[in-house]
Amino acid sequence: MRQAIGQMKHRHDQISLGGGKKTIDKNREKGKLTPRERIQYLIDKDTKFTEIGSFAGYEMYAEQGGCPAGGTVGGLGYVSGRLCMIVANDNTVKAGAWFPIGGKKNLRLQEIAMENHLPVIYIVDSAGVFLPMQDEIFPDKEHFGRIFRNNAVMSAMGITQIAAVMGSCVAGGAYLPIMSDETLMVEGNGSIFLAGPYLVKAAIGEDVDLQTLGGAKTHTEISGIADYKFDTEQECLDQVRRIMNKLGAKPNAGFDRIKSVEPISNTKDVYGIISVDNNKNFDVVDVIKCIVDNSEFDQFKEDYGKTIVCGYGRVDGWAVGIVANQRKIVKSGKGEMQMGGVIYNDSADKAARFIQNCNQKKIPLVFLQDVTGFMVGSRSEHSGIIKDGAKLVNAVANSVVPKFTFIIGNSYGAGNYAMCGKAYDPRFIYAWPNAKIAVMGGDQAAKTLLQIQVASLKAKGEIIDGDKEKELLKNITDKYTAQSTAYYAAARLWVDEIIDPAETRRLISVGIEAANHAPIEKEWRSGVFQV
């Protein structure tokens, strides 16, 4: 596990270089910091920036030269004591141009801000849409234009938005700072316009330089579009902090918190509990004890539905309800039973009831996923596994308290849905480096796909011997395995971030603090389900 974490951190370090050292050096000559340096300067000293989506675009867009972190650095940080969403374009990646995954990432960051009523600070430095891929980023509902729609919606919700323009802000992107509450610009580098000098020349024949067209002096003295101008990026970010320290307080959700107590079990003990291959049996309660305060965990229906563990605890003082898949071998009236992360009828029923209880008591929910799916076979079908599974899915879907999901092992099939996968609106969803996310396990999927492929080839008259079948199986397995990794999922933003397992406790706490900014406005109601 330590090796897997080391590999993850090394890959993150590479991503953090953005477009590369050469481009960074060129920017420094213009007095420009990297996006991560800007964020580090902005946030309060001795606080930690919680990055989201750093692996967005990982190993994608090879033909375009790649798009590290989706061309945007974003996440949660404290500015003047306020927890904020910070979104910073990375000018070193294709001049900050918007790739499809970059658009998706920005929408996710805005979604988090809206769900949790967090102030947003945009650090703008972008050349606009990446034109070679405009058909994948421009016209659809969840494309580029949705960002500005969200600007307007957040403004109507009373969510503060501040835009610090430190580079280009072009075409449709010019609306973002102007739809924010306040706009700050850095003189000489910052610019805002619908069409740049080249397009102006082509369209109307006018010769005009960049700063005269839309620089800080133009927009603070002539158009009135910008509110402040500064000589340096540092001065600009100092003003952002001064704006943030005057925000008034708003109603919160009222989640319960007391004084924090460190777990008795070391948070890094999880490294030795779970294997990176997800093939080792373990007791998930041991994992939970590395996360909860004083390692105290009160199990709900401990002796019933043992393939899911439910219970109450505290994380950094916050009250939480935890729903976790169980993998250990237990003794029952039928002898030993290996859990393997399978959801049985009774465990689905128990978890649904526990989720209802947490909604009734206004307790945030934490899901620890290590699930291979629901139990199959005639016995389970006759017992109504679909009905009980639907009951659990219903409870998860209609839950009104914040949900936080951590994929600590496998996440397969409908088990992903029942344990609050991305489709079920967790406020945040994280993966450990060993996470596997797919419609079913690799071996089962490969053998199923092999049977289909062999049958198809035989139908065409091809002769399939043992060696050919092994070759087909290997090709299918390799492809399926590559598409099941945490990195493949994080690149496509199926998860918000790949994390060090020892960070789980901190991220739960930060997540609940963020969620506490937004009062719960809906009453708990379940949908129709069979009993």
Side-chain angles (χ1 to χ4, degrees):
M1 183 64 80
R2 289 181 185 276
Q3 287 178 336
I5 294 165
Q7 181 187 57
M8 176 197 73
K9 290 179 178 178
H10 174 72
R11 290 175 175 176
H12 186 273
D13 289 344
Q14 294 300 114
I15 289 168
S16 297
L17 293 174
K21 190 175 183 302
K22 188 176 179 181
T23 311
I24 291 172
D25 289 342
K26 281 185 178 179
N27 276 354
R28 292 206 196 286
E29 292 172 7
K30 301 175 185 176
K32 299 177 77 168
L33 303 172
T34 68
R36 287 181 175 82
E37 288 172 340
R38 289 166 173 170
I39 291 170
Q40 203 57 47
Y41 183 89
L42 175 65
I43 63 174
D44 297 343
K45 289 182 180 179
D46 301 321
T47 65
K48 190 166 184 176
F49 178 60
T50 302
E51 189 166 353
I52 295 169
S54 66
F55 287 93
Y58 182 72
E59 294 187 337
M60 295 171 65
Y61 309 116
E63 292 181 4
Q64 290 78 24
C67 185
T72 301
V73 181
L76 302 176
Y78 295 90
V79 180
S80 297
R82 275 78 169 176
L83 186 60
C84 303
M85 173 60 72
I86 305 171
V87 183
N89 301 120
D90 190 347
N91 174 257
T92 70
V93 179
K94 296 290 190 296
W98 297 79
F99 278 66
I101 195 64
K104 184 176 182 179
K105 178 174 176 177
N106 276 263
L107 291 176
R108 173 60 180 151
L109 297 172
Q110 286 185 321
E111 178 186 42
I112 291 170
M114 285 191 282
E115 283 183 326
N116 300 290
H117 290 202
L118 296 176
V120 185
I121 298 168
Y122 302 102
I123 301 177
V124 185
D125 196 344
S126 172
V129 165
F130 185 62
L131 291 177
M133 303 185 76
Q134 63 85 28
D135 61 321
E136 298 180 46
I137 180 64
F138 172 65
D140 210 347
K141 180 179 178 181
E142 298 297 327
H143 282 176
F144 188 59
R146 186 81 172 181
I147 294 170
F148 317 122
R149 174 264 185 194
N150 288 348
N151 286 146
V153 170
M154 281 191 282
S155 184
M157 292 171 66
I159 295 173
T160 297
Q161 297 174 85
I162 307 297
V165 181
M166 299 188 171
S168 297
C169 190
V170 183
Y175 289 107
L176 185 146
I178 313 312
M179 297 183 77
S180 298
D181 297 2
E182 297 187 62
T183 303
L184 304 81
M185 296 185 72
V186 176
E187 199 162 7
N189 285 332
S191 58
I192 304 172
F193 38 66
L194 292 178
Y198 292 118
L199 184 52
V200 168
K201 174 68 174 176
I204 63 173
E206 180 185 358
D207 286 305
V208 61
D209 67 85
L210 187 146
Q211 287 299 312
T212 301
L213 181 64
K217 191 176 180 71
T218 293
H219 286 313
T220 54
E221 297 181 15
I222 300 172
S223 73
I225 281 174
D227 305 305
Y228 313 86
K229 71 174 185 290
F230 302 92
D231 293 329
T232 68
E233 293 189 356
Q234 290 86 344
E235 290 172 329
C236 181
L237 294 171
D238 289 340
Q239 179 61 27
V240 173
R241 279 203 294 267
R242 287 193 290 272
I243 293 170
M244 293 304 300
N245 73 16
K246 297 176 180 64
L247 295 187
K250 293 184 178 180
N252 61 32
F255 300 126
D256 186 66
R257 190 180 198 184
I258 61 174
K259 185 179 179 181
S260 175
V261 180
E262 288 295 313
I264 294 173
S265 300
N266 191 302
T267 55
K268 292 187 178 180
D269 286 350
V270 293
Y271 297 165
I273 297 173
I274 298 180
S275 73
V276 290
D277 297 322
N278 298 340
N279 57 6
K280 172 184 169 184
N281 290 314
F282 64 92
D283 189 344
V284 77
V285 175
D286 293 335
V287 174
I288 293 169
K289 286 182 177 180
C290 295
I291 297 170
V292 294
D293 288 12
N294 206 37
S295 298
E296 292 179 354
F297 180 60
D298 298 323
Q299 282 204 54
F300 174 80
K301 293 184 183 289
E302 182 176 356
D303 299 319
Y304 178 75
K306 292 186 176 182
T307 64
I308 291 183
V309 168
C310 300
Y312 303 101
R314 289 188 181 272
V315 176
D316 197 22
W318 295 104
V320 297
I322 297 175
V323 181
N325 300 110
Q326 180 61 285
R327 189 183 271 263
K328 74 172 183 177
I329 296 174
V330 298
K331 290 183 179 180
S332 68
K334 304 162 190 171
E336 287 192 344
M337 179 172 65
Q338 183 173 328
M339 301 302 188
V342 178
I343 301 175
Y344 287 80
N345 299 70
D346 52 0
S347 50
D349 180 70
K350 176 175 85 171
R353 175 61 182 268
F354 180 72
I355 290 167
Q356 287 180 314
N357 279 353
C358 288
N359 275 272
Q360 183 87 345
K361 298 171 183 175
K362 206 160 73 169
I363 299 174
L365 284 159
V366 175
F367 292 84
L368 302 179
Q369 281 199 15
D370 182 19
V371 57
T372 52
F374 286 88
M375 190 60 193
V376 297
S378 60
R379 182 172 180 176
S380 290
E381 297 292 358
H382 296 171
S383 299
I385 187 66
I386 298 173
K387 173 190 68 179
D388 291 322
K391 191 188 304 181
L392 175 54
V393 169
N394 196 317
V396 173
N398 285 297
S399 180
V400 297
V401 295
K403 299 167 290 192
F404 306 91
T405 301
F406 294 81
I407 302 173
I408 67 172
N410 298 318
S411 179
Y412 294 152
N416 171 282
Y417 304 154
M419 292 294 294
C420 197
K422 184 67 180 290
Y424 287 77
D425 295 327
R427 294 291 178 98
F428 298 91
I429 178 168
Y430 297 104
W432 289 7
N434 56 300
K436 299 285 187 293
I437 305 168
V439 73
M440 64 177 72
D443 290 341
Q444 301 96 311
K447 289 173 183 177
T448 302
L449 290 168
L450 177 66
Q451 292 176 49
I452 295 169
Q453 197 165 333
V454 168
S456 175
L457 291 171
K458 285 181 177 179
K460 294 175 182 177
E462 293 191 34
I463 298 172
I464 307 297
D465 59 18
D467 290 340
K468 179 66 173 176
E469 192 166 310
K470 286 180 182 178
E471 182 186 348
L472 289 171
L473 181 61
K474 184 180 184 306
N475 291 339
I476 292 169
T477 302
D478 289 348
K479 181 179 179 182
Y480 198 88
T481 300
Q483 292 179 350
S484 304
T485 67
Y487 294 98
Y488 193 89
R492 290 152 183 82
L493 291 171
W494 300 345
V495 296
D496 291 322
E497 193 65 77
I498 305 172
I499 65 165
D500 180 341
E503 283 277 276
T504 302
R505 173 178 163 85
R506 184 185 74 84
L507 290 170
I508 292 171
S509 177
V510 172
I512 298 176
E513 182 178 350
N516 199 44
H517 284 72
I520 296 176
E521 297 172 350
K522 293 182 180 178
E523 292 291 326
W524 156 252
R525 288 185 63 183
S526 65
V528 175
F529 59 86
Q530 292 182 338
V531 295

